[in-house]
Amino acid sequence: MLNLLRRRPASVPLIRAAFSAPLHTAESRPGYIVLVPEIGEEGPLGEGVLKPDGLPAFSDITIEMCLGAIGQQASAVENSVKALESDLQNGKQLDAGGIFRELDTVTGPLETTWGVAKALYLGNSTLIPTKSYMNIHERARNARAAKFCNRTVYKALQDGSAESGPDEQRLRQKFLLEGKLNGLTLDKDKQDGLKELLTHLGRERANFKNKVNMAVHSFGQVITDFNLVRDFPPPLLEATARDPGQPLEGPWKITLQPQVVDGFLKHCPERLQRWNVWRASVLKASSQQEKSLENSTHLEKIRGLRKRQANLLGYANFADMSMQTKMVGSVDNLKQIFAKLLKFAGPAQSVELDKLQRFAQDSGCDYKLEAYDVAYWRRKQLMAEHGLQEQKLSEFFPLPRVISGMFALSENLFGIQIVEQPNAEVWHPAVKFYDVFDADSSNSSTPVGGFYVDCYSKEHKFGRNNGWMVGIRNSNRSAGLTPLCALIFNFSEPLRSSADGRPPLLGYDDLQMLFKTFGSGLQHLLTQAGYSDLAGLSNIEWDASQVSGHVMSNFLDDPTVIRSLSGHFSSGEPLEAELSQKMRLLKTQLAGYNLCQDLYLADLDVELHRSNAFWLEIVRKLWPVYHSMPLDKKDAHPCSLTDIFAGDWAAAQFSHLYSRLIAADISSSFAEQRSEKNYAEVGRRYKQTFLSSGGSVPTAEVFRRFQGRDPSGEALLKSLDIFELSQTTDSN
């Protein structure tokens, strides 16, 4: 089938060894940061950050320049809001479109400088150190929030005419919801109470995070026996070895970093060692270990403060408040989805674990499998029964070949062209910049946007590859700005001294992550929304924010796509057809078990934010609903759930799963007939709905425009090979 993945020259050459820093810094000043004055400077706002062609001037950007620019631009946004407030108070009539265009125009430069700083920070935090970046981040975030926290602007939009267009109506809804959640409907005393409460909540969240970090770093299991690490993949060996430059020498220190724990449980052959690491992980930051690091108290305080926050704003509980920014709409709807998925995932989990137990016994195992055994025996089963060795498979997926194939697939799917611009200024010689041309645009010879690719980020190497889509600049018609983003990864750099000259090789998880990150980038770049606050991923409901990434990664379910991306790093030979068919097992093996884990965590998060029961009671109630294996009596895993209790995913953890559900339904339209013609036809429809709309239309409506109906969980279950008609008589 697919000429869809036509061969093209490798567009991402390997990293050059020499590195002369393109970012100039002033003399370092220990202990504090000197801010450039925010106002009274000569020249345009942010002068020097951008070149005349609108792209960042990475060769000339300094830390001080970013700090100074963000100060100027933040002040400009705040002054614009104050001027708008004054005009409205003096009786000037402004329509919603006029308000939004004015705010869009002044916010564009701020968001661009902020995005540039974030790309540099993630690419290599030695270019913009953490303290400097956090200074920029906080200043920009506070200035941007000024748009949504002004009572006069809120009232004007609340009382405004309904005669504006659909984009203006959508933005008005966003401003009014943001205003309500920021307390603009409260009287002065209650608003002051909300601010005090949020300050207290911030302290508790910080305490929770700090104690988890200390608990993670207080544990270290040292291994001196090479036999216990012989199956470790190279990144895990490097992450645990005393000398990362000699990962085979040892000793190896196993920490409680989640990626290290996951890798250790998957590859360590000695059960007692696995149990020790697993137990330390599920007990960290609890009273079962170091008393001074226990988080149970902070967890309960956070829950209580969030409930008070929700009550102040007029909601029964924090979970109900969270649903205001989610596509699913209500806790009741969400619970129905949980029940439908569990109806299939629960029985599948039981069958899968029975099969795994029998395999383990046939392989000489004389014990009943527990949670800390599952990942190890799953890997063994994939190797023994299907010949799937992830290390060997990765040899067929060298990074440059995969990226070239991914670009070609996207070009054919969406009618775009991706062209490298070798003369663009970048922050490191290995970073590449690409223009994106759209055949459907009014001027197909002019780029609709551009993106940077940094494959070898110098930071964030925690034993597993990661990817970030950094929106440097949103599409902003009022300010005349086209979208710009950076795709930043932390693959290991290829070594010139390598005996076999191999480039970075991607495992299955790496392929998923790469495609998912690029999919989010496409939504950022191909948006047709008219306002910055509606463009790309802006204003998309939290539980739909990852849909475009998952849709792209779902193409890896197609064996033809997998094979077209492949080529052995030394011979260029593609992956055998039989193995390309089997690679889906890396996703579907124990799919029921994994889905039950996801459902449990999502439901636990919701119940912790709407129930008044003590957290341990909630765990004991929910655990047997979703798990076949018993709960360990001392298990205290909620005490280290930083995403929920210290991060931004409170009563929103389900969003990851719900985005997968929506994406699987979309992907089913591509998979109905795996042909070049079908892929191109469905790709064009997907581009004209999901990729184009951004946040200008509710995702539920965008989905109906694409599929002609509401979403279903059936496609997700089918994609995981756990849908059984015999288990349902109703529409799923």
Side-chain angles (χ1 to χ4, degrees):
M1 134 188 136
L2 299 175
N3 281 324
L4 198 61
L5 278 172
R6 65 182 184 276
R7 293 296 172 210
R8 48 186 275 170
S11 54
V12 185
L14 303 182
I15 186 172
R16 294 191 289 271
F19 169 49
S20 56
L23 189 76
H24 309 297
T25 61
E27 180 182 352
S28 61
R29 302 174 184 270
Y32 62 95
I33 299 168
V34 177
L35 290 177
V36 177
E38 295 184 354
I39 55 177
E41 296 190 0
E42 299 294 332
L45 294 183
E47 182 180 16
V49 174
L50 298 181
K51 299 185 299 176
D53 63 4
L55 294 178
F58 286 114
S59 296
D60 300 319
I61 292 175
T62 65
I63 294 171
E64 288 78 12
M65 188 184 295
C66 284
L67 289 165
I70 213 73
Q72 285 182 299
Q73 294 159 350
S75 293
V77 171
E78 292 161 348
N79 291 336
S80 181
V81 173
K82 290 176 183 176
L84 181 61
E85 178 185 39
S86 177
D87 286 344
L88 291 169
Q89 289 173 340
N90 291 329
K92 184 176 180 180
Q93 296 298 312
L94 292 178
D95 64 5
I99 292 175
F100 298 141
R101 284 190 293 274
E102 183 172 339
L103 293 177
D104 241 17
T105 299
V106 74
T107 305
L110 171 80
E111 293 188 333
T112 301
T113 302
W114 190 6
V116 167
K118 185 181 292 186
L120 290 173
Y121 172 65
L122 283 174
N124 186 348
S125 63
T126 59
L127 301 180
I128 289 194
T130 299
K131 287 185 179 180
S132 297
Y133 174 71
M134 291 310 299
N135 208 318
I136 291 170
H137 177 80
E138 289 301 315
R139 187 69 182 94
R141 188 176 67 172
N142 291 338
R144 191 178 186 280
K147 297 194 303 183
F148 304 108
C149 296
N150 186 283
R151 192 181 296 272
T152 303
V153 174
Y154 176 86
K155 190 174 186 308
L157 292 173
Q158 192 177 40
D159 299 339
S161 161
E163 296 177 0
S164 52
D167 279 1
E168 288 75 21
Q169 290 290 348
R170 181 71 169 155
L171 260 182
R172 176 179 293 162
Q173 292 168 5
K174 174 181 173 65
F175 270 68
L176 293 180
L177 178 58
E178 292 275 2
K180 180 179 180 180
L181 296 179
N182 279 290
L184 295 186
T185 60
L186 305 177
D187 60 34
K188 179 71 165 58
D189 288 342
K190 288 184 177 179
Q191 198 168 38
D192 289 343
L194 179 63
K195 289 179 181 177
E196 184 179 346
L197 185 154
L198 292 176
T199 300
H200 188 185
L201 179 58
R203 288 197 299 267
E204 290 298 328
R205 289 171 61 181
N207 288 335
F208 188 98
K209 183 176 182 179
N210 289 337
K211 287 192 174 182
V212 172
N213 288 338
M214 287 188 285
V216 165
H217 290 102
S218 67
F219 176 88
Q221 179 170 313
V222 177
I223 293 177
T224 57
D225 184 357
F226 179 73
N227 287 324
L228 298 181
V229 302
R230 65 178 184 271
D231 293 330
F232 281 20
L236 184 58
L237 278 174
E238 293 170 10
T240 55
R242 179 179 59 185
D243 180 0
Q246 295 182 311
L248 298 178
E249 295 301 318
W252 302 268
K253 183 179 180 180
I254 309 304
T255 68
L256 294 184
Q257 289 283 1
Q259 298 92 331
V260 173
V261 172
D262 291 346
F264 185 77
L265 295 179
K266 186 175 182 180
H267 293 94
C268 178
E270 188 171 305
R271 191 181 194 223
L272 182 59
Q273 297 278 356
R274 294 199 303 269
W275 171 82
N276 191 52
V277 171
W278 170 84
R279 187 173 183 274
S281 182
V282 298
L283 295 185
K284 63 180 179 283
S286 74
S287 59
Q288 304 291 333
Q289 289 195 321
E290 175 61 49
K291 298 290 184 183
S292 64
L293 298 181
E294 68 89 12
N295 259 339
S296 178
T297 304
H298 298 297
L299 188 160
E300 288 300 304
K301 286 182 179 178
I302 290 168
R303 292 177 65 204
L305 289 167
R306 284 174 173 164
K307 181 176 176 59
R308 286 173 53 196
Q309 175 190 0
N311 292 162
L312 264 176
L313 294 172
Y315 301 99
N317 53 65
F318 192 86
D320 284 348
M321 187 181 88
S322 172
M323 295 301 139
Q324 304 307 302
T325 57
K326 310 301 185 294
M327 176 183 173
V328 76
S330 72
V331 172
D332 287 344
N333 288 343
L334 185 60
K335 291 284 189 173
Q336 290 177 22
I337 292 168
F338 288 167
K340 288 180 178 180
L341 294 177
L342 182 61
K343 187 174 185 179
F344 295 86
Q349 173 183 212
S350 298
V351 172
E352 291 163 355
L353 291 179
D354 285 345
K355 288 182 178 178
L356 190 64
Q357 181 72 60
R358 289 197 299 271
F359 168 78
Q361 289 173 343
D362 292 343
S363 303
C365 167
D366 59 357
Y367 49 80
K368 181 174 175 58
L369 298 186
E370 301 288 351
Y372 47 88
D373 300 313
V374 172
Y376 176 77
W377 285 106
R378 174 186 181 269
R379 180 178 66 86
K380 288 288 192 179
Q381 187 180 34
L382 284 168
M383 290 170 53
E385 296 183 351
H386 306 290
L388 289 173
Q389 293 180 270
E390 293 183 62
Q391 291 263 160
K392 291 291 184 183
L393 288 173
S394 69
E395 295 180 0
F396 288 88
F397 297 100
L399 177 60
R401 189 182 191 105
V402 171
I403 289 183
S404 179
M406 180 177 68
F407 287 174
L409 173 63
S410 302
E411 289 179 334
N412 284 278
L413 282 169
F414 308 123
I416 61 176
Q417 187 178 10
I418 299 170
V419 179
E420 183 181 348
Q421 298 300 332
N423 296 323
E425 289 188 25
V426 292
W427 58 88
H428 186 281
V431 176
K432 305 300 174 188
F433 178 74
Y434 300 87
D435 278 326
V436 179
F437 298 86
D438 185 357
D440 296 325
S441 70
S442 57
N443 185 356
S444 59
S445 61
T446 299
V448 296
F451 64 98
Y452 300 87
V453 178
D454 183 351
C455 291
Y456 314 114
S457 161
K458 303 300 178 296
E459 300 296 329
H460 313 291
K461 293 186 180 297
F462 297 120
R464 185 171 70 186
N465 291 325
N466 291 292
W468 298 267
M469 193 288 287
V470 178
I472 294 179
R473 178 172 74 208
N474 267 12
S475 175
N476 187 326
R477 292 180 187 173
S478 300
L481 301 175
T482 55
L484 192 65
C485 69
L487 310 180
I488 298 177
F489 307 98
N490 65 338
F491 300 114
S492 297
E493 298 179 29
L495 301 176
R496 288 185 179 275
S497 59
S498 175
D500 52 16
R502 66 176 62 190
L505 304 175
L506 306 188
Y508 184 73
D509 288 344
D510 299 329
L511 291 171
Q512 293 275 345
M513 178 268 296
L514 178 67
F515 270 61
K516 186 172 181 282
T517 306
F518 185 62
S520 295
L522 287 175
Q523 188 165 16
H524 180 85
L525 294 165
L526 299 181
T527 185
Q528 295 294 313
Y531 292 97
S532 176
D533 279 321
L534 300 178
L537 294 167
S538 298
N539 202 42
I540 290 180
E541 299 90 340
W542 282 47
D543 48 350
S545 63
Q546 301 168 53
V547 167
S548 56
H550 285 301
V551 168
M552 197 69 200
S553 68
N554 285 344
F555 284 106
L556 297 171
D557 290 348
D558 185 343
T560 308
V561 171
I562 279 285
R563 198 156 189 262
S564 299
L565 295 170
S566 69
H568 195 274
F569 77 90
S570 62
S571 67
E573 286 295 315
L575 190 67
E576 294 177 9
E578 184 181 0
L579 277 178
S580 67
Q581 295 276 351
K582 288 182 175 182
M583 276 191 68
R584 277 196 72 245
L585 288 168
L586 296 171
K587 177 177 180 177
T588 61
Q589 186 86 336
L590 292 186
Y593 173 83
N594 292 329
L595 182 53
C596 283
Q597 309 295 312
D598 293 337
L599 287 168
Y600 164 74
L601 187 57
D603 203 1
L604 175 66
D605 176 34
V606 169
E607 287 302 309
L608 286 169
H609 288 97
R610 75 169 190 164
S611 170
N612 294 321
F614 184 57
W615 67 262
L616 186 55
E617 294 176 35
I618 299 171
V619 168
R620 288 172 175 167
K621 178 181 177 181
L622 288 180
W623 185 274
V625 174
Y626 295 102
H627 294 90
S628 295
M629 294 177 171
L631 175 70
D632 186 272
K633 291 180 180 179
K634 293 186 177 182
D635 192 327
H637 56 277
C639 292
S640 58
L641 294 177
T642 51
D643 283 354
I644 293 173
F645 292 107
D648 297 323
W649 294 96
Q653 186 68 30
F654 75 92
S655 299
H656 306 294
L657 176 58
Y658 196 70
S659 285
R660 285 170 50 203
L661 183 149
I662 300 298
D665 202 330
I666 294 168
S667 296
S668 68
S669 291
F670 286 98
E672 283 172 2
Q673 181 188 353
R674 285 190 169 130
S675 67
E676 182 174 352
K677 180 180 178 182
N678 185 63
Y679 269 20
E681 287 177 354
V682 180
R684 188 61 55 90
R685 190 169 88 241
Y686 174 70
K687 172 187 169 186
Q688 292 169 350
T689 51
F690 275 89
L691 297 184
S692 296
S693 297
S696 64
V697 180
T699 304
E701 175 58 29
V702 178
F703 186 91
R704 291 186 199 103
R705 294 177 185 180
F706 177 79
Q707 285 290 47
R709 57 169 173 77
D710 289 332
S712 160
E714 184 175 313
L716 176 63
L717 296 166
K718 286 181 175 178
S719 74
L720 298 174
D721 292 344
I722 59 175
F723 181 75
E724 297 287 345
L725 282 173
S726 60
Q727 290 173 214
T728 184
T729 56
D730 57 355
S731 174
N732 199 45

